[in-house]
């Protein structure tokens, strides 16, 4: 398994935990919004930053795609 995949799994699990949802639900949301590959491809940035920065960025991506606030 690539380092990108390992980090993506870690990221989605922590993000889901932060939102009080399951990783499966989050992945479906990301897929529906068309941002899963974009998030995966952000490995080089996300893995060196504070995890909350990635969460904030993902929330912003979701907001842009769905046009409504993301709830915690």
């Amino acid at each position: 398994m690539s380092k990108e995949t390992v980090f993506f799994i870690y990221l989605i699990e922590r993000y889901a935990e932060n939102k009080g949802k399951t990783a499966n639900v989050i992945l479906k949301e990301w897929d529906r919004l068309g941002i899963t590959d974009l998030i995966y491809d952000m490995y080089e940035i996300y893995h060196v930053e504070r995890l909350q920065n990635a969460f904030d960025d993902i929330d912003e991506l979701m907001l842009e795609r769905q046009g409504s606030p993301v709830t915690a």
Side-chain angles (χ1 to χ4, degrees), residues 13-48:
E13 288 176 347
R14 296 297 72 76
Y15 184 84
E17 179 179 77
N18 181 266
K19 299 299 178 184
K21 299 180 179 183
T22 66
N24 190 43
V25 167
I26 294 297
L27 184 58
K28 287 178 183 176
E29 289 179 14
W30 291 357
D31 285 345
R32 181 179 55 80
L33 295 170
I35 60 173
T36 304
D37 289 339
L38 177 60
I39 292 168
Y40 184 92
D41 292 341
M42 294 295 287
Y43 167 78
E44 291 299 328
I45 294 172
Y46 289 164
H47 89 281
V48 296

Side-chain angles (χ1 to χ4, degrees), residues 7 10-11 14-15 46 49-56:
F7 180 78
Y10 172 77
L11 177 64
R14 296 297 72 76
Y15 184 84
Y46 289 164
E49 290 187 350
R50 191 171 62 100
L51 202 52
Q52 186 61 48
N53 290 351
F55 293 173
D56 293 345

